[in-house]
Amino acid sequence: MAAQDIPQMVEALRASFDAGQTRSHTWRDRQLRRMRDMLRENEAALGDAMKEDLGKSHFDCWLSELNVLCDEIDFSRKHLRSWMRPERVATPIHLQPASCTILREPLGVVLVLGAWNYPIQLTLAPAIAAIAAGNCVLLKPSEVSPASARLLCELLPRYMDPSCIRIVDGGIPEATALLEQRFDHIFYTGGGVVGRIVMEAAAKHLCPVTLELGGKSPVIIDSDVHLKVAARRVARGKFWNAGQTCIAPDYALVHERIEARFLKALQQAIRSFYGASPEASDDFGRIVNDRHFQRLTGLLEGQEVLAGGETNSEARYIAPTVLKNVAPDSAVMNEEIFGPILPVLSVRDMDEAIGFVNARPKPLALYVFSRNKETQESILSRTSSGGACVNETLFHFAPHELPFGGVGGSGMGAYHGRFGFETFTHRKSVLNKSTAVDPPMAYPPFTAAKQKWVRRLL
Ligand code: NAD
C-alpha cells in the first residue's frame, strides 16, 4: 500500500461506515473474536517477530502483549451489550411528559498510530476499543519495529473484515499522508514531538485526538519502606523490555537515610533477576535500533555508574545500569530515558521529592514506596501524574476498571475497558417528548401570568 492510495482507502472505509456495516453487536463481537483467533493461532510467529525487533522472550511476548490483548478482548466482549445499551436518565419535572436517553454512537472512521516498544499490544489495544465502539479503523504500526509491523500487516487482513478494518505498513511518508485525511478520531501512542504533529494535523479537520505520550516517571522511595521488596519492584519495572516501557520508572528519588541500603538492594535484585551476565539472560531485551542505542550510550557519558554500564553495539545490548550522584541538570535527567538506565538521586525528605517532581512536566506515572499511609496520601495529593502505584510499579496499567492515560505533557484522553469504548463513542443526548400534553405556558407571548407560573415551576 503506497502513500498515494491512502485517500482511497479512507474513502472506502467511510463508505462502509456510512452503510452501517459496523453498527451491530454481531459485527463488533465477531471482529473481536477474530482478533483473538489471530493472536492465539499466531503466537509463535508474533513471538519471533518481537524477538527480532526487541529481543523479547516468547514468554514476555505472551505475558505483556498477547495475553493483555486477549484479556482486553474478553472483557470488552463480556460487557459490550451493556456498554452499547441506551442509558435512560432522569427527566426534570418541568419537561415532563418526556424521556431522556444517552445513545452511544460510534464516531466513524478512526486512525490508530501504534508505537514500537510493545508493537502488537500498543497497536491493537486501541483498535479493540474502536471496534467495540462500532467504528471503522485504520491502523498504522510503527516502522521502528519492522518485523512486528510486517507480520501484523500480513495477518490482520486474513482475520478481520477488510471493508471496515485496514492496516498500512509504512513510516513517516505514510503517517504524513494519513494525517492529511479527515478522520473522526486519531489515537496516537508515542513521543511528544510527533504528538504535536498529530494534534496540529487533526486541528485542520477539528478531529479529536487521544495522545498516549511519555515523560519522566519518577519513583519516590521514603525511608519507611520494605527495602528488598521496593528494590525488586523498581528493578522489575525499570528493566522490563530493557527499559523501553512508557510507564517504566525513569529515575528514583531516594530518602538519604536509606540511599546506600537501597542501592545495595537494587544491585542484589538485578543480579537475582538476570544473573551475573544479563546479556545471556532470556528475560532481558535489546534496544530497538542503533539510533536509540547511540542516544542511550550518550546519556551514560560522564556519569557515575554504580552497576551495569556494559554495552555491546552489535547486539544493541545495554546492561541494567544504575547511576548514582546524578546532577539534576545532566542530560540523563532532561529527557525521557526509555532504556535500561536508572539514575538515583538522594533527597532530604519527601517534601524535597515532591518539589523536584512538581518542578518538571507532569509524568505519565508516579510511584511511591512507603509504608506510611500519610506519606503515601501526601505524595499522591500534592503531585499530578497520568497514573500512580503505591508500593508497586507498572501494574496500574493492568486493571480494566482503571483508565490508562496521561495528563499535561504526558498526554490526553484514556483507554482500557469501558474508558476505551467511551473514547471512541459519541454520547448523544436525546429528549423524547410526548405530544399528549402541550400547555400554552411554554410558548410566547410570555404574559405576566405565564411568567409567574414559569418562575414558580423552574
Ligand atoms: P515512534 O517513532 O514509534 O512514532 C510513533 C508513530 O508516529 C509511528 O507510527 C510513526 O510512523 C509516526 N511518526 C513518526 N514521525 C512522524 C512524523 N514526523 N510525522 C508523522 N508521523 C510520524 O514513537 P517514539 O517517539 O519513538 O516512541 C517513544 C515514546 O512513546 C516515548 O516517549 C514513550 O514514553 C511513548 N510511549 C507512550 C505510551 C503510552 O501508552 N502512553 C506507550 C508507548 C510509548
Side-chain angles (χ1 to χ4, degrees):
M1 175 61 59
Q4 68 264 24
D5 300 324
I6 284 171
Q8 247 178 316
M9 195 192 258
V10 177
E11 246 172 68
L13 289 174
R14 198 163 288 289
S16 302
F17 182 76
D18 291 345
Q21 271 174 247
T22 58
R23 298 252 168 178
S24 70
H25 175 272
T26 311
W27 181 88
R28 303 180 197 196
D29 187 66
R30 180 172 162 73
Q31 297 312 310
L32 294 177
R33 217 174 51 228
R34 292 296 290 153
M35 189 190 283
R36 197 182 201 290
D37 293 344
M38 177 184 85
L39 296 169
R40 289 273 184 245
E41 289 167 18
N42 299 281
E43 184 180 328
L46 288 162
D48 287 344
M50 288 184 266
K51 176 103 192 153
E52 191 180 325
D53 286 330
L54 290 145
K56 290 191 198 208
S57 70
H58 274 225
F59 175 68
D60 186 14
C61 291
W62 173 82
L63 184 67
S64 55
E65 305 246 6
L66 310 186
N67 184 54
V68 170
L69 289 167
C70 289
D71 199 36
E72 183 75 10
I73 290 173
D74 293 346
F75 186 81
S76 301
R77 289 184 62 210
K78 184 169 166 210
H79 295 281
L80 191 51
R81 274 191 200 283
S82 75
W83 293 347
M84 288 172 68
R85 209 169 285 141
E87 186 185 345
R88 278 292 282 270
V89 293
T91 308
I93 187 89
H94 59 274
L95 294 175
Q96 302 277 8
S99 67
C100 285
T101 311
I102 303 169
L103 299 182
R104 256 75 186 178
E105 191 178 83
L107 294 174
V109 181
V110 304
L111 173 66
V112 173
L113 294 170
W116 52 262
N117 54 331
Y118 290 82
I120 304 297
Q121 196 224 117
L122 294 177
T123 308
L124 293 184
I128 292 171
I131 292 166
N135 296 279
C136 282
V137 191
L138 186 44
L139 296 104
K140 195 192 85 57
S142 174
E143 69 280 13
V144 179
S145 46
S148 307
R150 226 177 299 122
L151 182 60
L152 207 52
C153 290
E154 188 193 310
L155 292 177
L156 207 81
R158 286 193 357 226
Y159 283 83
M160 311 200 64
D161 178 356
S163 65
C164 300
I165 300 163
R166 299 291 296 266
I167 185 161
V168 172
D169 193 7
I172 296 175
E174 287 75 12
T176 307
L178 283 166
L179 290 174
E180 281 162 9
Q181 310 307 308
R182 180 173 71 83
F183 289 97
D184 298 292
H185 194 94
I186 300 177
F187 193 109
Y188 166 77
T189 304
V193 173
V194 178
R196 283 169 176 79
I197 296 174
V198 169
M199 200 167 171
E200 215 176 305
K204 292 200 181 89
H205 301 285
L206 278 184
C207 170
V209 293
T210 301
L211 301 179
E212 294 285 345
L213 310 178
K216 288 184 86 62
S217 299
V219 51
I220 300 176
I221 317 266
D222 182 25
S223 54
D224 179 13
V225 285
H226 190 306
L227 263 179
K228 187 176 170 196
V229 172
R232 286 165 70 80
R233 293 181 184 175
V234 170
R236 180 183 54 193
K238 177 73 198 186
F239 300 117
W240 200 308
N241 201 24
Q244 300 162 113
T245 303
C246 55
I247 46 173
D250 187 272
Y251 63 94
L253 298 172
V254 185
H255 197 293
E256 61 183 11
R257 209 180 302 146
I258 52 131
E259 192 197 3
R261 281 184 291 143
F262 176 73
L263 287 171
K264 201 164 162 219
L266 202 55
Q267 285 171 280
Q268 281 165 353
I270 294 170
R271 204 182 166 91
S272 74
F273 294 170
Y274 309 114
S277 169
E279 196 167 1
S281 166
D282 199 33
D283 295 314
F284 190 73
R286 295 294 178 267
I287 304 309
V288 72
N289 60 22
D290 290 336
R291 182 173 67 83
H292 280 286
F293 179 84
Q294 301 300 343
R295 180 183 63 79
L296 288 163
T297 48
L299 293 180
L300 292 176
E301 275 164 28
Q303 293 294 346
E304 191 177 330
V305 174
L306 175 78
E310 302 84 12
T311 64
N312 173 353
S313 61
E314 237 163 76
R316 296 195 310 273
Y317 164 77
I318 298 177
T321 298
V322 180
L323 305 177
K324 66 177 225 180
N325 296 326
V326 179
D329 60 351
S330 58
V332 78
M333 286 306 295
N334 280 316
E335 64 174 83
E336 183 181 352
I337 298 170
F338 222 55
I341 301 168
L342 181 69
V344 175
L345 293 87
S346 89
V347 286
R348 272 186 323 276
D349 52 29
M350 293 300 97
D351 281 345
E352 190 185 345
I354 291 167
F356 192 96
V357 170
N358 288 343
R360 288 161 176 76
K362 293 180 181 182
L364 185 57
L366 180 142
Y367 304 115
V368 185
F369 282 84
S370 176
R371 284 187 286 220
N372 185 314
K373 270 220 165 328
E374 266 172 42
T375 304
Q376 295 171 3
E377 279 161 21
S378 157
I379 293 173
L380 289 178
S381 66
R382 292 168 62 198
T383 58
S384 176
S385 58
C389 290
V390 174
N391 293 321
E392 184 52 285
T393 60
L394 307 187
F395 288 107
H396 62 295
F397 176 86
H400 300 293
E401 307 290 349
L402 291 181
F404 182 79
V407 59
S410 54
M412 60 186 73
Y415 69 139
H416 288 185
R418 181 156 195 169
F419 302 98
F421 174 89
E422 293 289 351
T423 286
F424 289 102
T425 296
H426 170 58
R427 291 189 293 271
K428 183 155 78 182
S429 297
V430 179
L431 178 125
N432 192 331
K433 182 99 176 179
S434 160
T435 52
V437 187
D438 197 34
M441 192 171 62
Y443 298 97
F446 293 110
T447 59
K450 274 193 198 173
Q451 284 190 30
K452 202 171 131 197
W453 273 108
V454 171
R455 280 177 188 276
R456 211 175 268 177
L457 207 63
L458 294 183

